[in-house]
Amino acid sequence: MDINLYSQGDVNKWVYSTCNICSIGCGCYIGVKDNKIVGIKGNEDHDINRGRLDPKGENQWYANNSPDRLLTPLIRKDGTLQPASWDEAMNLIVTRTKETLRTIGSDGIAFYSTGQGTLETYYTIAKVGRAGLRSHLLDANTRLCTATTEWCLFQSFGADGVPASFEDVDLTDTIMFFGHNPAETGTVFFERIMERKRRTGKPYIIVVDVRKTLTAKEADLFLQLKPGTNLALLNGIVHLLLKNGWIDKDFIREHTVGFERIQWATEPWTPSLAAKVTGIPEHIMEMATHVIGTTNSLVCTTLQGAYQSADATSSCVAINNIHLIRGLIGKPGSGPLHMAGQPSSSGNRTVGGVGTYPGNRNPGNPKHIKEMAELWNVNTSDLEVGPEKGIEEIVHLMEKGKVGLFWNINTNPMASLPNRQRAKKAFENTFVVVQDPFLTETTEVADVVLPPAIWGEKEGTMENADRTINLLTKAVDPPNGVKSDFDILLDFAKRMGFKTKDGKPLITYETPEQCFEEWKKVSKGRPSDMSAATYEKLKENNGLRWPIDEKHPLGTPRLYSDFKFHTFPDNAQTYGKDLFTGRPRTKEEFESMQANGRAILYDTHYVPSVEQPRQEYPFWLTTGRLVWHWHTRTKTGRSPYLQMIAPEGYVEINIVDAESLGIIPGELVKVSSPRGSINVPARVVDTVQPGLVFIPFHYGTWENNQSANELTVDFTDPLSKQPTFKQCSCKIEPVRNKITISEKQTFEDIAETNALSLEELAKINHMIPPYRADIGDQIEVPLSRTNVEIPPYMPYRNIQIFPHFSQAELPFKKE
Amino acid sequence: MYHTIARTYQTFQYLLENFPINNNPLELRIKPLLYESNHVLYQILLILHQPQPNLHQLKQLFSILYRDDEALEPLVRAWGRASLWMEVTPSNIVQHRLDLYQNIQKYLKRLVPYIKGIYGEEDARYIVPPLYRRKVGADY
């Protein structure tokens, strides 16, 4: 139950819904009083969460009632955003759209949406964008989140859709969290696992991460590897699996192609080479391989530590390879579970708002294009061919003036894109529409702002990380002057006059449910078939996993239980790409692999991170999330509770590095990379390894200089085009005042005045006892110092408080 | 058409002769694409020398050529940024290579009308990716 609810008095009603924060897809009820959302509680009957909610989920409703919500469209006039009517705003967008179509063409219009919307909104983006505008520049912040999931699934299995589900997590003997920290990013999922672990001792938990995360602290085996070496580790593990014969030869022969490629690619990856590259001791790697090689069931999860790293898609394909060569897929308790970050990022892919055509249709296959044209009753030639472009490529087109209109829906790229100063210049060079309930860093570069409804104020469906389709119902009306994303798109389609080839309106549905009914027809016969689903059925069953069709009327807990994969050329969702270069394959090249229903094994080749530490920038920088905040805090920053717990950005630095730089906990430091610099307080911890620093990406307005993305690189994975947020170089310098000691001051005075202990002041100034400073000597003191402690969340955690800091290691401490 | 392909081939030859530039890991990915493009262009030139070119084979080669370039484009741009940030190569050399690569893209765009002429508008869509054949679009 939401801890805030008791302060609100009795509610009038509880409205069935689904949490709109992370990718777990928890069922919930929204508390309503006087047509206002006043709280939330977990749905005890929902299999996914059984009443649990994550702290961000519990506090998401504050945003709905926030006094700074936008209640009218805004148009930039004379350099400032000014209130406008919906007619003015929409007509301006339509005028600009038509002008772009005339002057640049269809691919002069780009949509950049979200992973937090409904399937119905995404499907409408697909229809408006692809059939209406005939653009193929449809992308979303899912590019930063789970594009790698999609591409690793295409490559190995021929289509999207995670093979395993949360049910398998409940059954498995072994789970490997690979670059995945669910203790902070999916707490309900992690609690579900830990509850079973405490009760039964299962599953055996392996964690692979560069940081000693809260998840790693609960692991049976923790592999702390060097940044950017995921694939080196996986190649080392596969080498050992093959060497020890821990493979299922029958499964490989009958259900896969390409085994010989794995053999030659991993042959050089002896434990000694893998240990040298990854920094993981050989015996630890051998222990991990022994567990993976002999377990009867295995679930491997991946998230941003895999997706936002070097060799992202190759690493996830290597995990698929492990499942395939062990024959641990499509069986209870087994299969890769490549996670999502957002509540419905996979849903955007499924219905074609991003990525391929709706229903897992291949944009390079003339038959699939023809099917879509028939379903939408448009000319085949209206639907663009070829793989999608990622946001980095769209930013490049914006820089070159080749995008005339960029429509940004419910995401904040000016805080979330890597190397954000480059992105800012590109946005300033383009007509930008921003759909957001609040003013954000991105509305600062917008020409038009449209205020949409938030969760609880609209209905629709979402797809979580394990293919579950959940229903959201409308608990309250949106504030006056606010429209749902879905209605905004329908309005745009009407104003644009989009037509079918018969001259009838392109979009005839008027409600999300009618849209869902149309989508069901589009999905029929495809991997993500939802033809047997209805809103009512989704609610009755608390969500169902696709495919939901005649054969599986109550959904499908795991894919590929018949070991038949979507790799027939006319069934595949793409023809794939070369795993090393990212070059799209032709149909003939795909056919020549002769997979034809079998899974595809690949040779995976390690390539080091593009940018690495060096003399000028001696540290690795990695970025990530906290348990207390979501994305750029547009919602969670409006919860007093969450904001109070974790109010500002910081950098985590290892004790050893802090010692050598003379940095004390909480003092302000400047972190610089070749892209820019930020000023944040330092947390001195043992959770990052020496040579690595960590900065949460949630923070940073244009004014307060704390955005991690001032520093990050905008290199992308060659297949998924997902940016490599997790590896770049940086340097750290304390930000200090210099005080010249006068005749009336002592060293002790300066320490006291600046709220420092003598030892801290001595450390800052690299002094050893006795701490003598003479008149005229210059003493450095921190420009500022902040309490950077963040409280723990989950009760079973063994740790009490951050930061970890060992005073005993100070060299001048007296016994 | 032959002239444009020959110029493209020459540019790839030059890039390959002066490759690798620095030891940036991106060059590991760029290199096979340059080699494949070079090889494909050579085969296209051979086919075009024949009195009756094999159009099916030519279609496959053009498809690969454009797909190579789709993969190359973001990698080459990233290589340019990385080289400057890592300060491993003088900026004038980096810019020179980026300019050469830009020329290749111009040649590939120039080839599009010829490809449409051979295979027709509809089939050409499956050979040449959208941004090379960008045209002023929908009639609203």
Side-chain angles (χ1 to χ4, degrees):
Chain A
M1 179 78 82
D2 174 9
I3 57 166
N4 306 290
L5 198 62
Y6 298 107
S7 64
Q8 309 294 322
D10 291 336
V11 301
N12 299 141
K13 60 178 175 178
W14 287 103
V15 180
Y16 181 95
S17 194
T18 306
C19 178
N20 192 216
I21 296 286
C22 78
S23 66
I24 306 306
C26 298
C28 67
Y29 288 94
I30 302 173
V32 177
K33 188 178 183 184
D34 302 330
N35 198 34
K36 191 178 165 190
I37 298 177
V38 293
I40 183 172
K41 67 178 181 181
N43 178 351
E44 290 178 3
D45 299 324
H46 202 294
D47 279 347
I48 281 178
N49 58 312
R50 297 199 184 283
R52 294 187 185 101
L53 286 175
D54 144 299
K56 298 177 287 290
E58 281 183 350
N59 286 274
Q60 64 191 299
W61 59 273
Y62 277 101
N64 291 66
N65 301 328
S66 185
D68 62 343
R69 274 191 72 172
L70 296 175
L71 301 175
T72 174
L74 304 170
I75 293 177
R76 191 168 296 278
K77 289 176 186 165
D78 303 322
T80 59
L81 289 170
Q82 297 176 18
S85 68
W86 277 98
D87 267 346
E88 281 177 286
M90 294 306 292
N91 286 341
L92 177 58
I93 294 169
V94 166
T95 302
R96 191 66 191 214
T97 303
K98 289 182 177 175
E99 186 186 322
T100 301
L101 290 171
R102 253 193 335 270
T103 55
I104 304 178
S106 287
D107 277 332
I109 298 164
F111 278 90
Y112 186 63
S113 65
T114 177
Q116 295 158 67
T118 61
L119 265 70
E120 293 76 4
T121 299
Y122 302 146
Y123 176 77
T124 306
I125 291 172
K127 200 165 182 183
V128 164
R130 296 176 192 276
L133 296 167
R134 303 167 197 175
S135 172
H136 91 310
L137 298 186
L138 307 186
D139 204 29
N141 64 9
T142 55
R143 185 68 52 193
L144 319 179
C145 169
T146 49
T148 300
T149 302
E150 177 186 38
W151 274 94
C152 81
L153 296 170
F154 288 169
Q155 292 290 115
S156 300
F157 312 123
D160 204 347
V162 279
S165 74
F166 297 166
E167 279 190 26
D168 292 306
V169 170
D170 292 338
L171 300 171
T172 193
D173 287 346
T174 305
I175 190 163
M176 176 160 72
F177 296 116
F178 199 100
H180 180 199
N181 177 19
E184 296 206 70
T185 60
T187 61
V188 170
F189 174 66
F190 193 61
E191 285 176 62
R192 174 172 171 164
I193 294 164
M194 293 309 295
E195 192 273 328
R196 175 177 170 234
K197 173 89 172 165
R198 278 194 301 275
R199 197 164 31 84
T200 67
K202 287 184 177 179
Y204 187 91
I205 298 175
I206 301 172
V207 173
V208 179
D209 210 300
V210 295
R211 294 191 297 140
K212 202 184 294 171
T213 60
L214 296 172
T215 308
K217 286 172 192 293
E218 304 298 330
D220 294 292
L221 189 59
F222 173 41
L223 284 70
Q224 187 168 20
L225 75 181
K226 292 180 188 171
T229 63
N230 289 342
L231 188 55
L233 169 63
L234 290 162
N235 281 346
I237 289 173
V238 173
H239 173 98
L240 284 170
L241 288 174
L242 298 181
K243 185 181 166 192
N244 289 292
W246 288 325
I247 57 173
D248 185 336
K249 289 179 183 166
D250 292 340
F251 188 93
I252 293 168
R253 189 178 55 251
E254 288 166 29
H255 304 298
T256 71
V257 293
F259 179 62
E260 62 291 346
R261 290 193 289 257
I262 292 189
Q263 282 180 306
W264 71 260
T266 56
E267 196 179 351
W269 284 96
T270 59
S272 69
L273 175 62
K276 190 177 165 191
V277 175
T278 62
I280 298 169
E282 284 183 42
H283 73 279
I284 299 286
M285 207 178 306
E286 282 162 359
M287 276 173 69
T289 311
H290 183 267
V291 174
I292 292 167
T294 56
T295 185
N296 289 321
S297 53
L298 172 70
V299 170
C300 291
T301 71
T302 53
L303 201 58
Q304 308 309 352
Y307 306 158
Q308 295 178 346
S309 284
D311 299 316
T313 306
S314 292
S315 298
C316 294
V317 163
I319 284 171
N320 295 342
N321 283 348
I322 288 172
H323 278 275
L324 289 166
I325 63 175
R326 286 239 47 228
L328 295 179
I329 186 169
K331 299 170 182 173
S334 284
L337 181 55
H338 300 291
M339 296 290 289
Q342 301 181 76
S344 196
S345 54
S346 39
N348 206 343
R349 305 197 304 263
T350 301
V351 301
V354 63
T356 65
Y357 273 88
N360 319 95
R361 286 184 174 83
N362 182 353
N365 183 342
K367 286 186 182 170
H368 287 194
I369 296 283
K370 188 165 174 273
E371 272 176 26
M372 278 317 306
E374 284 168 3
L375 285 161
W376 284 343
N377 194 24
V378 296
N379 294 311
T380 308
S381 59
D382 289 347
L383 301 180
E384 194 47 281
V385 168
E388 78 278 14
K389 292 287 175 194
I391 185 62
E392 191 279 326
E393 291 161 305
I394 294 174
V395 164
H396 174 64
L397 293 170
M398 291 162 82
E399 286 172 325
K400 296 284 175 192
K402 292 179 178 173
V403 174
L405 188 141
F406 182 90
W407 194 328
N408 182 88
I409 300 176
N410 284 330
T411 182
N412 188 9
M414 290 298 97
S416 59
L417 284 181
N419 188 12
R420 72 170 184 161
Q421 289 294 344
R422 174 192 169 203
K424 185 182 178 218
K425 283 181 194 148
F427 276 58
E428 286 169 346
N429 196 36
T430 309
F431 186 88
V432 174
V433 177
V434 173
Q435 215 158 294
D436 202 290
F438 301 100
L439 291 177
T440 65
E441 289 74 18
T442 307
T443 57
E444 289 300 299
V445 294
D447 296 279
V448 178
V449 180
L450 304 174
I454 314 184
W455 165 88
E457 300 165 355
K458 57 189 177 185
E459 70 169 353
T461 54
M462 294 196 302
E463 179 182 331
N464 79 342
D466 81 341
R467 292 176 282 105
T468 300
I469 305 297
N470 275 311
L471 182 69
L472 294 97
T473 52
K474 186 173 163 182
V476 296
D477 293 325
N480 283 336
V482 167
K483 295 182 181 183
S484 72
D485 302 309
F486 180 80
D487 285 335
I488 292 169
L489 289 162
L490 258 50
D491 182 16
F492 174 71
K494 199 170 173 185
R495 287 172 195 264
M496 284 295 295
F498 294 137
K499 297 278 193 297
T500 63
K501 64 182 179 186
D502 301 333
K504 293 178 182 159
L506 178 68
I507 295 178
T508 50
Y509 51 78
E510 293 176 348
T511 66
E513 191 164 4
Q514 288 169 5
C515 174
F516 188 77
E517 290 300 314
E518 178 175 313
W519 151 247
K520 282 163 57 179
K521 289 175 196 155
V522 170
S523 75
K524 194 169 173 58
R526 297 299 302 156
S528 56
D529 194 331
M530 295 183 205
S531 55
T534 62
Y535 272 21
E536 196 183 347
K537 198 166 154 185
L538 291 174
K539 186 176 174 182
E540 270 173 20
N541 291 280
N542 286 314
L544 296 169
R545 294 183 183 91
W546 63 253
I548 312 155
D549 52 16
E550 279 178 26
K551 203 172 156 191
H552 313 89
L554 291 178
T556 311
R558 73 191 55 82
L559 301 179
Y560 309 125
S561 51
D562 57 358
F563 310 133
K564 290 190 169 43
F565 300 89
H566 300 293
T567 52
F568 283 97
D570 274 340
N571 186 23
Q573 193 169 347
T574 81
Y575 300 132
K577 295 179 180 177
D578 179 85
L579 195 56
F580 189 71
T581 63
R583 197 266 274 171
R585 285 191 294 245
T586 64
K587 185 181 181 186
E588 288 71 17
E589 288 170 327
F590 185 77
E591 284 171 340
S592 72
M593 298 174 89
Q594 296 190 315
N596 299 328
R598 289 175 291 177
I600 305 171
L601 294 165
Y602 290 90
D603 45 322
T604 52
H605 301 280
Y606 166 70
V607 177
S609 294
V610 175
E611 185 173 287
Q612 301 193 22
R614 55 205 179 279
Q615 195 173 10
E616 192 183 356
Y617 297 99
F619 286 94
W620 284 106
L621 165 64
T622 191
T623 67
R625 299 189 240 177
L626 302 181
V627 69
W628 301 110
H629 280 299
W630 175 249
H631 281 194
T632 62
R633 296 179 307 115
T634 314
K635 277 183 169 179
T636 53
R638 286 176 167 82
S639 155
Y641 177 65
L642 298 176
Q643 185 60 13
M644 196 171 64
I645 288 177
E648 67 171 329
Y650 56 80
V651 57
E652 286 183 349
I653 182 168
N654 185 272
I655 297 165
V656 173
D657 294 323
E659 292 279 346
S660 70
L661 292 169
I663 291 170
I664 60 168
E667 84 159 296
L668 190 71
V669 295
K670 179 180 178 183
V671 189
S672 315
S673 82
R675 272 71 54 195
S677 66
I678 62 172
N679 290 342
V680 284
R683 295 181 77 205
V684 180
V685 298
D686 64 0
T687 50
V688 292
Q689 52 191 282
L692 173 71
V693 300
F694 167 80
I695 300 177
F697 72 80
H698 306 297
Y699 301 93
T701 60
W702 290 119
E703 296 82 25
N704 97 356
N705 188 23
Q706 295 195 331
S707 172
N709 287 319
E710 292 282 335
L711 310 172
T712 46
V713 287
D714 47 1
F715 306 135
T716 60
D717 179 73
L719 277 83
S720 67
K721 311 290 183 187
Q722 186 154 352
T724 317
F725 287 99
K726 298 292 189 194
Q727 289 104 32
C728 73
S729 63
C730 72
K731 64 180 171 187
I732 298 184
E733 303 154 284
V735 184
R736 289 175 179 161
N737 279 332
K738 283 187 178 167
I739 296 172
T740 306
I741 296 197
S742 66
E743 57 188 15
K744 290 181 182 171
Q745 274 178 313
T746 63
F747 190 72
E748 287 80 1
D749 292 338
I750 293 172
E752 192 179 340
T753 311
N754 289 279
L756 299 166
S757 67
L758 276 183
E759 286 77 13
E760 286 171 335
L761 189 58
K763 186 182 171 191
I764 286 166
N765 288 281
H766 301 282
M767 296 167 82
I768 55 170
Y771 309 134
R772 176 175 168 167
D774 296 325
I775 295 168
D777 283 356
Q778 282 206 323
I779 297 292
E780 288 189 6
V781 295
L783 186 66
S784 69
R785 197 175 177 195
T786 311
N787 179 2
V788 284
E789 290 179 357
I790 291 185
Y793 165 59
M794 283 187 249
Y796 57 81
R797 284 180 188 164
N798 297 325
I799 50 152
Q800 290 304 311
I801 203 161
F802 280 108
H804 297 280
F805 181 69
S806 173
Q807 284 284 353
E809 290 180 18
L810 291 172
F812 44 78
K813 180 150 175 91
K814 286 185 180 176
E815 293 300 323
Chain B
M1 181 182 185
Y2 185 88
H3 177 71
T4 307
I5 292 169
R7 291 287 298 273
T8 318
Y9 180 63
Q10 283 169 0
T11 313
F12 271 111
Q13 291 274 301
Y14 180 85
L15 280 172
L16 280 168
E17 279 167 21
N18 296 277
F19 198 84
I21 313 296
N22 52 47
N23 290 317
N24 189 298
L26 280 167
E27 292 186 347
L28 294 171
R29 299 194 195 275
I30 290 172
K31 196 173 174 181
L33 292 166
L34 291 179
Y35 273 105
E36 186 174 61
S37 299
N38 188 58
H39 178 66
V40 162
L41 282 161
Y42 180 71
Q43 288 188 301
I44 291 173
L45 288 170
L46 285 181
I47 290 174
L48 291 177
H49 268 123
Q50 292 165 5
Q52 285 197 320
N54 180 332
L55 293 184
H56 178 72
Q57 198 183 354
L58 200 58
K59 184 178 175 183
Q60 297 308 312
L61 293 168
F62 276 129
S63 297
I64 292 170
L65 181 66
Y66 281 95
R67 280 155 183 73
D68 275 336
D69 195 60
E70 272 216 301
L72 259 178
E73 199 263 348
L75 290 173
V76 169
R77 286 190 294 102
W79 171 84
R81 297 195 298 279
S83 298
L84 296 175
W85 287 333
M86 296 288 281
E87 296 180 300
V88 285
T89 310
S91 58
N92 62 329
I93 294 178
V94 174
Q95 192 55 53
H96 178 246
R97 297 302 187 279
L98 293 174
D99 291 344
L100 279 175
Y101 175 69
Q102 290 279 312
N103 288 339
I104 289 173
Q105 291 226 302
K106 281 180 199 160
Y107 296 143
L108 291 177
K109 281 177 186 163
R110 265 185 225 162
L111 281 175
V112 174
Y114 298 108
I115 294 169
K116 284 183 181 175
I118 298 170
Y119 298 101
E121 194 85 35
E122 184 59 22
D123 275 7
R125 299 197 318 142
Y126 295 90
I127 303 169
V128 181
L131 295 182
Y132 301 86
R133 50 180 167 75
R134 183 190 280 265
K135 80 173 187 185
V136 176
D139 45 349
Y140 296 107

